[in-house]
Amino acid sequence: MSATREAPGTTGHPLRWRTLGVSQLAAFMALLDVSIVNVALPSIERGLGVSAATAQWVVSGYALSFGLALVPAGRLGDALGRRRMFLIALAAFVLTSALTGAAPTIGLLIAARLLQGVAGGMLLPQNSGLIQELFQGAERGRAFGILGATVGVATATGPVVGGLIITLIAGPDAWRWVFYVNVPIGVVALVLAARWVPARSGDGRGRTHLDLIGSLLLGAGVLCLLLPAVDAESNGLGQDWWLLVAAVGLLAAFARWELSVVRRGRQPVLDPRLAHTSGFAAGSLIGLVYFIGFTGIWLVLALFFQDGFGYSPLRSGLAVTPFAIGIAVSAAIAGRLVSRFGRVLTVAGLIATVAGLVSTALVLRHVGGETAAWAAAGPLLVAGLGGGMVTSPNVTLTLQHVPVDMAGAAGGALQTAQRIGSAIGTAVLATIFYRVLMSSAHNYSRAASDALLSASALMVLTLLIATIDLLKHVGASSGNEG
């Protein structure tokens, strides 16, 4: 069935909310696979008879290829049509999920995860592009708020969903169902997307310039940033310092190349003029720093509950459920309020997140064993309520003023910043946790507390950036009124 075209004179496409629903289902699957696999790693190690360091590449490989695909895939969606790219990426994600679940060896499993990461990275930028294309006015802010909620909730619920699957299925091959679960859900999403996701008039027509050199420079730069982070668990931070130097050079070369592409009147993979788009630069920086502190929290808490006090994967996941619930509730509310309150929501959310995380760190420093999860539930709920007020409004404020023809690439750039932050944050907080653990005669309470306090410090830095951006806009508004 062909998709309906946008009717002129309406405030938005008649299928926009259905399209948003199916696109968020697809985005949730892709983002869930970033964190859901962590709880399945012990099962993979036993089932395939491999070391922990080797099995870790099942997680790291996905994060790498996912991050590398985001911006080029967003640009392809801008150029060739978002419906086309969305359907191709969703079909690829379903297929690679099945291949990953069926992989007979660790080599094939890692290869399949790399391909699955590419498919996930192709899928996600089309979400922001479709929102820009199909929604207008205040509805666009609400839609971006829902996208932000999807990002936060998918990251937060991964450990719970993974633990539930492993517990219900059990057996040496239980880990395979962490990947197989995507197949029926993805097939349903693919059928609905074929019916509901509309095509823009002129999609894929005419000549399209694809900035291959820019894509290669950006990809190489992002790879050099991500590799040291994902390799830190086995080799430690600082072993691959030369890659960070190379990343700076490659990204500087990328920026110069993109400027030259614009001067020649051609289409860059990431238009430098986005830096001057209201909210984009500040929002991307907020997303980067926030996710450095945010993502590693889940690993720290999993290590604390499972290794420190013998919780099962499911029980460990349930222990952090208050955080996930807080994110889900506040993100949905904040998405509706962002058009009225703007960056104030981000600032308020970060204050609540810092308060919740510091309280959690202090509680876990003094409470362990069976009562630790219950004692931390309240502070984690506060942190989650704050976190939802950060992720959801920040997506809206970063992307709402981006021109439609740049929306896919801009959404990919924001997600790339968040993926880089996630990789760095997981490595940094895990390193802090293990170093404190070793220096304190395996005091898990102290290790978790110090790691969470470090995450809180990163949230304070994010709060400073958000406050500066808020004051800048308040000053600009006062100047315009004067």
Side-chain angles (χ1 to χ4, degrees):
M1 179 177 176
S2 62
T4 306
R5 308 282 182 182
E6 184 171 352
T10 60
T11 59
H13 197 282
L15 294 178
R16 61 193 181 279
W17 291 109
R18 293 183 180 182
T19 298
L20 182 67
V22 72
S23 69
Q24 296 316 292
L25 176 61
F28 186 85
M29 283 195 307
L31 289 166
L32 193 71
D33 266 47
V34 175
S35 60
I36 192 176
V37 184
N38 283 299
V39 296
L41 286 182
S43 180
I44 292 173
E45 293 168 26
R46 293 190 298 269
L48 297 179
V50 297
S51 67
T54 302
Q56 183 62 38
W57 276 98
V58 177
V59 177
S60 302
Y62 183 86
L64 279 173
S65 56
F66 191 102
L68 291 173
L70 284 164
V71 175
R75 178 70 192 97
L76 282 172
D78 293 337
L80 303 179
R82 297 185 182 98
R83 170 186 162 85
R84 177 183 298 177
M85 284 298 298
F86 185 84
L87 293 175
I88 290 172
L90 183 53
F93 191 80
V94 172
L95 176 61
T96 53
S97 294
L99 291 174
T100 305
T105 66
I106 188 63
L108 291 175
L109 176 59
I110 292 172
R113 277 287 279 177
L114 288 169
L115 293 175
Q116 190 191 28
V118 171
M122 290 170 57
L123 187 61
L124 205 58
Q126 314 316 323
N127 280 268
S128 56
L130 285 167
I131 289 172
Q132 288 283 62
E133 191 174 306
L134 302 180
F135 290 86
Q136 299 175 16
E139 279 194 346
R140 180 178 288 176
R142 287 178 57 195
F144 273 128
I146 292 171
L147 174 59
T150 300
V151 173
V153 174
T155 305
T157 56
V160 182
V161 176
L164 184 61
I165 291 173
I166 296 293
T167 301
L168 289 178
I169 301 209
D173 287 331
W175 62 268
R176 298 185 184 277
W177 289 95
V178 170
F179 307 110
Y180 282 147
V181 72
N182 292 328
V183 177
I185 299 172
V187 168
V188 171
L190 191 59
V191 171
L192 295 177
R195 292 175 60 88
W196 292 342
V197 177
R200 183 181 59 198
S201 179
D203 269 356
R205 298 177 187 175
R207 295 185 61 187
T208 299
H209 168 253
L210 297 179
D211 181 11
L212 180 60
I213 293 178
S215 297
L216 291 174
L217 286 171
L218 177 62
V222 171
L223 181 64
C224 288
L225 277 177
L226 287 174
L227 267 177
V230 300
D231 199 36
E233 186 168 337
S234 53
N235 292 328
L237 289 170
Q239 294 291 315
D240 300 320
W241 61 268
W242 62 273
L243 285 172
L244 300 177
V245 177
V248 173
L250 287 165
L251 293 176
F254 167 73
R256 292 188 62 181
W257 173 260
E258 296 298 89
L259 287 170
S260 71
V261 171
V262 172
R263 283 196 297 267
R264 296 198 303 270
R266 308 194 77 177
Q267 295 173 319
V269 66
L270 187 61
D271 199 313
R273 290 169 291 192
L274 280 171
H276 305 292
T277 300
S278 177
F280 182 79
S284 297
L285 182 59
I286 288 170
L288 170 66
V289 181
Y290 175 79
F291 270 78
I292 293 176
F294 172 71
T295 311
I297 293 169
W298 306 106
L299 178 58
V300 167
L301 291 175
L303 292 169
F304 172 76
F305 286 119
Q306 293 184 48
D307 294 350
F309 298 100
Y311 284 32
S312 68
L314 177 58
R315 190 178 175 196
S316 173
L318 291 174
V320 296
T321 298
F323 201 172
I325 292 173
I327 289 173
V329 171
S330 67
I333 297 172
R336 293 177 175 271
L337 298 177
V338 65
S339 60
R340 290 176 56 193
F341 297 104
R343 188 60 76 192
V344 171
L345 286 175
T346 311
V347 171
L350 284 165
I351 292 172
T353 302
V354 171
L357 286 180
V358 170
S359 300
T360 303
L362 296 177
V363 166
L364 295 185
R365 201 174 193 91
H366 301 288
V367 180
E370 298 295 318
T371 59
W374 291 107
L380 284 175
L381 178 62
V382 173
L385 290 170
M389 293 170 65
V390 178
T391 53
S392 179
N394 191 58
V395 171
T396 303
L397 296 169
T398 306
L399 300 177
Q400 65 179 349
H401 297 299
V402 170
V404 173
D405 61 353
M406 301 180 191
L414 176 59
Q415 282 296 322
T416 300
Q418 293 177 350
R419 293 309 106 205
I420 292 171
S422 297
I424 294 173
T426 300
V428 168
L429 292 189
T431 299
I432 292 171
F433 180 88
Y434 282 121
R435 288 190 175 178
V436 175
L437 193 67
M438 293 299 103
S439 65
S440 63
H442 286 76
N443 187 329
Y444 279 89
S445 295
R446 180 178 168 187
S449 179
D450 285 0
L452 291 176
L453 289 174
S454 300
S456 302
L458 288 162
M459 297 300 179
V460 170
L461 177 58
T462 314
L463 175 60
L464 176 62
I465 298 168
T467 303
I468 292 171
D469 186 55
L470 173 62
L471 295 175
K472 175 183 173 183
H473 283 86
V474 169
S477 299
S478 301
N480 291 335
E481 290 175 3

